[in-house]
DNA sequence: TCGAGTGTTGTAAACGTTTACAGTGAATGC
DNA sequence: GCATTCACTGTAAACGTTTACAACACTCGA
């Protein structure tokens, strides 16, 4: 089956290509012409070539989502939300992995080739080079993450400060007073932000004692190793705030292997509220950074900018919400009392204080 | 910043557009011309327009991955593998969700618009309409899943028969004799295949007793509900084979809530070997259907077909592998003896018997 | 000195659309 | 009956590339 062009449709219908195009696109044309052309298109199985249309119309109906590590559940959640918005608006979504071959900078430079009408970028780290490339690109870009204010770009960010404060406040309310933050690598953007957020949160509670340690990675194994060490120090802390759910799960396993009960001997919390947090026993209390909402908002910002290229840059901060499960309840409570988690409606403290 | 075309580069360099194009694409040209053109391109910040090139060259350098429910971990794993292969070959990957707006059939029809050079399709269910659309489309398609032999298409499939036999054989070896298969909806393709696989597997063991029940969905909650019922029947079975990991996890939770020990009172296995299987306690024995490999192979088949459109259709069946964790060990063994799973090198029975 | 050969360049067509513009015929107003 | 409008249609240009083909200049051998 070879390509059938609008020219063939036109001759088959006995009209000019212009009339054929108009008839097919609902432009002005006589009823008779429309009928003839539509029948001819039908008979020949005509479908308009997307590339030719793109060239002529100056838009591709494609948007890109560029992220370092697709496969990371948080990014997948964002992607799913983005895909929903994007496809509902008639755009296709192309995936640009910045991890494999090309860096964020290359990806942004490549935007100049015009293969998409816009991009949502979730950069690993923000370099001057990247900022320069972003400033120069003619294609709209929405950035997921933190950017210097000088960059006049649409941005969607999580609120790590509030997120960590939700966790620390919760632990204090549950009677904990000696908290250790188990971070991932702090030279990454999330690592740095969560560490700072934790520091700010504990500063608001002068009565408690707190410190930070670093795991080698944002993984279960690294969290296990770090927690194993933390839990063997004396005096033993009564709470671990893990920088993400994987580290939190590793910490729970370390505690269990040491014969400690969670939350009896030690309270443990995570960040990201992944599916894992609900599956493990006890359920892992976790703060949800709103990945789904961030993805959705980013997509909406991008669509809005495409419609109106010169609107002022928006920065949206998505409010985190605390999801309390068994791993952080007060010692006094009976952990066995917590019902099976798949039926549990986890308590959700949606925080209204977060910046809008 | 507006678009700079090759024409502008040409005048700036004082040559014709043809020479400019040749100089930039490494075609035949004098050293002097190449230098002039490259400098002009540099100065003007020229980048070739992808759409115009696509139109002229008749290829888009894009491949599509169409799947019902992106967000499902199994599909994400495939997607990651596909992305790796595809981007290494210089293609972009576009994501076509068949769930949201359009059906598989629409997606395949849309291929005629030529916005990609090929597609990897993972259809929800295979209808005659879909087969007809596939037969008609001019664009190469590789199908992930089962297809009638009459469809002369490249196909990559999992081996459910062998997968279920690995599980049943394993349970029998571990001394189980009364096995219940907790399926998801059996009107789905995986549901039907796994049910048939289970039936075939138990047929090879006349000594054991076996039956099937259906959960409402492939979810933890549905698995919990179904298992709760199964486990309260008398005589109680000594093993549950769940149709996927989520149902398996729900089953473990149901057993725990009923005061049963796993694997002491009941052995439980899953399918897919998701991350969850390693996180839950006890670890869930699961058979890995090779999602990563299926994705990779599908991408390779697609690339090969693009290079050689008339090669005969290939069907590749990927061998499953059994990953044994604590949930299915023999009663005699001490479940507490199983080491913390993140350190566990799970035993992996890669099955050589599976078709290649 | 001329012809053939070689290496480079320019002209123009082509990819498949959309659309500005001019042109056609019929209907209408005077 | 003629001019004006109107609704529609066709011609051709344009989007930004690549490339077939012809043209050119130059070298070399006879």
């Amino acid at each position: 089956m070879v390509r059938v062009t609008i020219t063939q449709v036109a001759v088959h219908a006995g009209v000019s290509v212009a009339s054929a195009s108009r008839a097919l696109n609902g432009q002005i044309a006589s009823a008779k012409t429309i009928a003839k052309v539509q029948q001819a298109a039908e008979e020949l199985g005509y479908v308009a070539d997307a590339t030719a249309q793109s060239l002529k119309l100056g838009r591709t109906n494609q948007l890109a989502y560029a992220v370092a590590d697709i496969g990371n559940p948080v990014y997948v959640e964002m992607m799913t939300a983005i895909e929903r918005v994007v496809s509902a608006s008639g755009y296709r979504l192309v995936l640009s992995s910045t991890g494999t071959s090309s860096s964020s900078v290359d990806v942004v430079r490549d935007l100049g080739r015009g293969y998409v009408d816009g991009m949502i970028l979730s950069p690993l780290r923000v370099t001057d080079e990247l900022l320069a490339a972003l400033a120069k690109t003619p294609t709209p870009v929405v950035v997921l993450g933190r950017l210097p204010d000088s960059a006049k770009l649409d941005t969607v960010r999580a609120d790590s400060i509030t997120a960590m404060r939700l966790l620390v406040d919760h632990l204090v309310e549950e009677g904990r007073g000696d908290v250790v933050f188990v971070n991932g690598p702090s030279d990454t953007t999330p690592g740095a932000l969560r560490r700072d957020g934790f520091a700010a949160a504990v500063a608001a509670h002068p009565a408690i004692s707190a410190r930070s340690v670093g795991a080698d990675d944002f993984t279960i194994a690294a969290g296990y190793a770090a927690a194993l060490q933390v839990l063997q120090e004396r005096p033993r802390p009564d709470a671990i705030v893990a920088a993400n759910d994987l580290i939190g799960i590793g910490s729970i396993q370390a505690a269990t292997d040491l014969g400690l009960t969670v939350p009896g001997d030690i309270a443990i919390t995570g960040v990201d509220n992944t599916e894992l947090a609900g599956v493990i026993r006890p359920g892992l209390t976790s703060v949800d950074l709103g990945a789904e909402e961030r993805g959705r908002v980013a997509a909406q910002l991008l669509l809005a900018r495409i419609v109106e290229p010169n609107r002022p840059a928006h920065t949206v901060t998505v409010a985190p919400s605390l999801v309390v499960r068994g791993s952080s309840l007060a010692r006094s409570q009976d952990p066995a009392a917590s019902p099976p988690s798949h039926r549990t409606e986890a308590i959700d403290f949606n925080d209204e204080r977060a910046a809008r």
Side-chain angles (χ1 to χ4, degrees), chain A residues 112-136:
Chain A
R113 305 206 47 196
Y115 65 97
V116 287
D117 301 337
M119 167 174 276
I120 296 174
L121 174 69
S122 197
L124 251 186
R125 56 195 96 239
V126 179
T127 63
D128 289 344
E129 201 187 359
L130 177 61
L131 288 171
L134 283 171
K136 264 209 303 240

Side-chain angles (χ1 to χ4, degrees), chain A residues 32 43 49 71 112 115 118 181 196 198 241 289 298 312 342:
Chain A
K32 202 170 58 180
E43 288 177 15
D49 181 82
Y115 65 97
F181 177 58
D196 296 348
F198 179 77
V241 172
L289 296 179
H342 65 276

Side-chain angles (χ1 to χ4, degrees), chain A residues 4-279:
Chain A
V4 24
T5 73
I6 199 172
T7 309
Q8 301 175 29
V9 173
V11 293
H12 193 82
V15 299
S16 70
V17 282
S19 292
S21 174
R22 280 185 295 246
L24 291 169
N25 294 323
Q27 308 275 27
I28 185 166
S30 74
K32 202 170 58 180
T33 305
I34 293 178
K36 277 190 302 186
V37 171
Q38 279 184 344
Q39 184 181 350
E42 183 81 19
E43 288 177 15
L44 273 55
Y46 170 76
V47 274
D49 181 82
T51 306
Q53 280 184 322
S54 292
L55 180 60
K56 184 65 200 176
L57 299 177
R59 70 187 137 77
T60 60
N61 289 320
Q62 296 189 148
L63 301 178
Y65 176 45
V67 67
D69 165 31
I70 199 56
N72 179 321
V74 177
Y75 292 135
V76 171
E77 198 180 339
M78 288 183 183
M79 183 185 74
T80 310
I82 291 170
E83 202 281 331
R84 206 173 299 127
V85 175
V86 155
S87 78
S89 300
Y91 285 88
R92 288 185 294 271
L93 186 64
V94 354
L95 219 54
S96 304
S97 179
T98 62
T100 51
S101 54
S102 47
S103 76
S104 292
V105 181
D106 293 331
V107 167
V108 173
R109 293 234 178 86
D110 224 33
L111 277 182
R113 305 206 47 196
Y115 65 97
V116 287
D117 301 337
M119 167 174 276
I120 296 174
L121 174 69
S122 197
L124 251 186
R125 56 195 96 239
V126 179
T127 63
D128 289 344
E129 201 187 359
L130 177 61
L131 288 171
L134 283 171
K136 264 209 303 240
T137 186
T139 311
V141 177
V142 174
V143 173
L144 282 164
R146 200 139 303 237
L147 232 51
D149 292 340
S150 58
K152 293 272 166 256
L153 283 173
D154 294 313
T155 304
V156 181
R157 49 173 70 160
D159 183 353
S160 302
I161 297 284
T162 303
M164 301 314 285
R165 204 179 55 215
L166 285 173
L167 288 171
V168 172
D169 287 357
H170 164 68
L171 289 171
V172 170
E173 271 172 36
E174 298 286 327
R176 310 286 165 165
D178 185 3
V179 186
V180 175
F181 177 58
V182 180
N183 198 6
S186 55
D187 63 341
T188 62
T189 306
L193 292 173
R194 288 168 200 188
R195 182 201 45 201
D196 296 348
F198 179 77
V202 296
H205 294 280
I208 72 170
S209 94
R211 67 183 196 284
S212 294
V213 304
D216 291 338
D217 209 345
F218 285 105
T219 60
I220 294 179
Y224 181 89
L228 209 57
Q229 207 162 341
V230 166
L231 292 171
Q232 285 173 316
E233 294 171 6
R234 292 294 173 274
R236 193 192 327 114
D238 58 10
I240 284 180
V241 172
N244 76 347
D245 281 359
L246 295 177
I247 293 176
I249 286 169
S251 301
I252 291 182
Q253 293 179 348
T256 306
D257 285 358
L258 288 172
L260 303 174
T261 65
V262 180
D265 297 315
I266 179 98
I268 296 176
T269 64
V271 171
D272 283 343
N273 190 34
T274 59
E275 189 181 22
L276 298 174
V279 166

